[in-house]
Amino acid sequence: MVDGRLAEAGARIRDHLRESVPPSGVAEADLLGEAVAYASEGGKAVRGALVLESCAICGVDAGAALKAASAIEAIHAYSLVHDDLPAMDDDDMRRGRPTLHRAYGEALAILAGDALQSLAFDRLAAITEAPPERVLALVGALARDAGPRGMVEGQWLDMRAESHPLPESAPMEDRLRRIEDIQSRKTGALLRWSCEAGPILGGQDPAPFRAYADAVGLAFQVRDDLLDVEGSAEETGKAVGKDAAAGKATFVGLLGVDGARAKAGALLDEALAALDPFGPSADFLRELARFIVTRDR
Amino acid sequence: MVDGRLAEAGARIRDHLRESVPPSGVAEADLLGEAVAYASEGGKAVRGALVLESCAICGVDAGAALKAASAIEAIHAYSLVHDDLPAMDDDDMRRGRPTLHRAYGEALAILAGDALQSLAFDRLAAITEAPPERVLALVGALARDAGPRGMVEGQWLDMRAESHPLPESAPMEDRLRRIEDIQSRKTGALLRWSCEAGPILGGQDPAPFRAYADAVGLAFQVRDDLLDVEGSAEETGKAVGKDAAAGKATFVGLLGVDGARAKAGALLDEALAALDPFGPSADFLRELARFIVTRDR
């Protein structure tokens, strides 16, 4: 059921993003539009689905929710396109297809990523179905969570950690704190934003949503680390064991496979506990948390 | 006088941007903050000054104006950093110093550019001194003017025009329209936004500001083309004759030096005529238009 609902959310978001880029008046610009569309395709749309669900729970208009969900998926897509570049992680495959710079060249990948970031804020500014002061608060939160003290910082710290690893003699808690610091910025901030979009637009208390998001975000990373050593390239659609081969500090490296699995389980319990105030309306968020901890790709 | 006021605006904007990036909780992230600051330094701040002036004419709060001015300079700085990358224009010098990727490496240049784009929207969302629906309209305008059908499209068309030039046998008006299409997107859209920031935040008619911006924007490009063949590397702080050497279509190439100078003069007249409804409050905008058409860097 989770898979089906994610696929449905992903398709709606992809269509919305495609319709949001008007045709160019200049024929030569079509390739840029194509590259933007290519980058928006094929993802799991977990972040977008979190936006749609948190909005539904908080009684936010469905049109506003779709625009906010499209915004976060545009930010996510841009970050993947730029992270894959040769000067960054230098990845050839993403979502089971050639990365954008392999398919369209590096210049167009840089530009399409830049365009996707603008497009995210364009989609938020287009929300007319909620009070402007709430929409503006959501714009500010996205700018902060994606920016120089959010996702971009996380990506930078992640790259630095690879080239400047903590010595193996460093205390376990320092090494764990470091990967949690990186995770909370690199992926955690945007997952939190996705879960807060509902309460911010709906004018409700974001605290339980934030607690859910933080637990799920960390669980997501733990599961990613487990997949990195467990999965096959066919299942995950990307090269396997790459992080381990690069000597990156991972939860699995620090806690072992069993320790990482136990941690993922504890985080799942935390995420579910945060949803206690809500009734059946939060059932999909509960399933999504379970899905994230057990997913095989 | 223009130089002094631009320098003052530039310094205030630079300081505001630096203060807007809070210290990181993680020491390794300092380098990212440094790179962001480096990219924000040394420009002429023409766009920021246009925002400050259009806001002053429209009675917008000075604090709101400074945030909007900082937003556009952050967007401009990000666009220069990414345009200079090896996969794009591959420039080594900018504003008389090594380009960001030459000084800090390519990965940090990509990330600092991305961070600057987020920072721009962060600064707009921080405007509490104007009604939220107007601030949100300004966010939407910036996202559109910077995005896949604005500045990014202009940059892409500019690169394509270099590798796929129109044949020399193409009618002059087609070739002129093509460089005007590129200019209106690549630099014109953000100059227009800068001039519209005042009327949008102040709730006034943007039409005269838009007419002024369109004339000044085109004049700016004509002057840039003239500088490309006239200037010395010392005066402009970048390599000279590069566009001409790359076989790029330019106003000078199509109209000749005298024709380009005549066009710049006619555009200056247009810009000044657009300011007729305003009294002495628009004097600095008048001087700025004259400055843009006569500047030697």
Side-chain angles (χ1 to χ4, degrees), chain A residues 29-146:
Chain A
D30 289 347
L31 210 55
L32 175 63
E34 262 181 51
V36 166
Y38 184 94
S40 325
E41 288 163 10
K44 284 190 295 292
V46 168
R47 292 157 190 77
L50 286 171
V51 171
L52 295 178
E53 292 302 315
S54 74
C55 282
I57 293 171
C58 295
V60 173
D61 174 273
L66 180 59
K67 290 173 195 159
S70 300
I72 196 67
E73 288 295 329
I75 289 281
H76 182 53
Y78 119 67
S79 77
L80 297 180
V81 168
H82 281 188
D83 286 3
D84 286 340
L85 286 169
M88 305 276 289
D89 292 350
D90 194 15
D91 277 314
D92 293 334
M93 295 292 287
R94 163 73 65 185
R95 296 172 168 176
R97 301 183 306 173
T99 49
L100 191 65
H101 67 273
R102 298 292 290 176
Y104 286 87
E106 224 177 307
L108 207 48
I110 293 168
L111 290 171
D114 290 341
L116 280 162
Q117 179 168 190
S118 303
L119 188 57
F121 290 102
D122 171 81
R123 289 301 81 208
L124 291 186
I127 297 177
T128 52
E129 306 88 346
E133 63 275 16
R134 293 184 189 166
V135 179
L136 202 54
L138 200 60
V139 168
L142 186 62
R144 188 188 60 236
D145 292 343

Side-chain angles (χ1 to χ4, degrees), chain A residues 21-33 36 75 78 82-83 85 87-88 104 106-108 110-119 121-125 127 131-133 135-136 139-144 146-149 152-153 155-157 159-160 164 166 178 181 185, chain B residues 21-33 36 75 78 82-83 85 87-88 104 106-108 110-119 121-125 127 131-133 135-136 139-144 146-149 152-153 155-157 159-160 164 166 178 181 185:
Chain A
V21 181
S24 170
V26 184
E28 296 95 321
D30 289 347
L31 210 55
L32 175 63
V36 166
I75 289 281
Y78 119 67
H82 281 188
D83 286 3
L85 286 169
M88 305 276 289
Y104 286 87
E106 224 177 307
L108 207 48
I110 293 168
L111 290 171
D114 290 341
L116 280 162
Q117 179 168 190
S118 303
L119 188 57
F121 290 102
D122 171 81
R123 289 301 81 208
L124 291 186
I127 297 177
E133 63 275 16
V135 179
L136 202 54
V139 168
L142 186 62
R144 188 188 60 236
R149 290 294 171 249
V152 171
E153 181 176 56
Q155 175 63 13
W156 169 242
L157 290 173
M159 291 189 68
R160 284 282 290 188
H164 299 73
L166 285 186
R178 180 153 173 180
D181 270 349
R185 288 165 175 80
Chain B
V21 182
S24 170
V26 184
E28 295 95 322
D30 289 347
L31 210 55
L32 175 63
V36 167
I75 289 281
Y78 119 65
H82 282 186
D83 286 2
L85 286 168
M88 305 274 287
Y104 286 87
E106 222 177 308
L108 207 48
I110 293 167
L111 289 172
D114 290 342
L116 279 162
Q117 180 169 190
S118 302
L119 188 57
F121 290 101
D122 171 82
R123 289 300 81 208
L124 291 186
I127 296 177
E133 63 275 16
V135 180
L136 203 54
V139 168
L142 185 62
R144 188 189 58 234
R149 289 294 173 251
V152 171
E153 180 177 57
Q155 175 64 12
W156 169 242
L157 290 175
M159 292 188 68
R160 283 283 288 188
H164 299 72
L166 285 187
R178 180 153 173 182
D181 270 350
R185 289 164 175 79

Side-chain angles (χ1 to χ4, degrees), chain B residues 268 272 283 285-295:
Chain B
L268 173 59
L272 295 176
D283 274 350
L285 287 187
R286 294 184 182 97
E287 280 189 62
L288 199 58
R290 283 187 204 101
F291 170 81
I292 281 170
V293 170
T294 57
R295 76 204 154 90

